[in-house]
């Protein structure tokens, strides 16, 4: 990646066009999630397998979801483009905002104590 100067004169790495396009698509998905879940969202980025990064989202109404970016840099750029407020950890205040429903409780019970199957 080449470096470019932004209008403020700060040297920033230049994402290649493909990575920028992926970041914009993710940003659109983040914005759509926020819009449909109370008008705003917060998130947290976490490295997962093979360099990918999970973007955990919590809407203003407590609904939550995940997106996966092919790299941490693309996830950061997507969050920036979408205006997503990022938290360092998915615990404390952010976790307390998550609202779970019957589906999640059934899934957890099914996995943990022999509850209904997924079929």
């Amino acid at each position: 990646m080449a470096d470019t100067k932004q209008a403020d004169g700060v040297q920033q790495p230049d994402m290649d066009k493909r990575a920028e396009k992926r970041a914009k698509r993710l940003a659109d998905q983040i914005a759509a999630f926020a819009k449909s879940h109370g008008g705003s969202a917060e998130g947290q980025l976490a490295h997962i397998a093979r360099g990918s990064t999970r973007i955990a989202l919590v809407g203003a109404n407590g609904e939550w979801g995940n997106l996966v970016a092919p790299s941490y840099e693309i996830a950061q750029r997507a969050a920036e483009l979408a205006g997503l407020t990022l938290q360092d950890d998915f615990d404390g205040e952010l976790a307390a905002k998550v609202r779970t429903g019957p589906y999640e409780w059934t899934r957890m019970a099914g996995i943990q104590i022999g509850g209904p199957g997924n079929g």
Side-chain angles (χ1 to χ4, degrees):
M1 284 192 233
D3 285 343
T4 60
K5 271 194 182 173
Q6 292 184 334
D8 60 5
V10 176
Q11 201 75 4
Q12 293 282 39
D14 184 25
M15 295 184 88
D16 65 26
K17 289 179 183 180
R18 187 173 184 197
E20 183 69 19
K21 185 175 181 179
R22 180 68 176 135
K24 286 179 183 178
R25 273 198 311 263
L26 285 165
D28 289 344
Q29 291 176 298
I30 293 167
F33 176 89
K35 182 179 178 182
S36 65
H37 294 290
S40 65
E42 293 180 60
Q44 189 261 339
L45 305 181
H47 291 283
I48 55 176
R50 296 186 183 199
S52 298
T53 298
R54 176 187 72 149
I55 306 169
L57 301 168
V58 179
N61 66 356
E63 295 290 324
W64 58 280
N66 291 297
L67 294 170
V68 176
S71 72
Y72 195 83
E73 293 76 19
I74 290 173
Q76 282 182 309
R77 179 69 177 143
E80 176 187 323
L81 289 170
L84 183 67
T85 300
L86 291 175
Q87 303 298 330
D88 292 331
D89 297 303
F90 197 92
D91 60 7
E93 278 187 44
L94 186 59
K97 293 177 183 180
V98 173
R99 188 185 78 198
T100 56
Y103 171 78
E104 288 84 8
W105 286 103
T106 300
R107 279 277 291 150
M108 288 186 277
I111 292 168
Q112 298 298 322
I113 57 174
N118 293 329

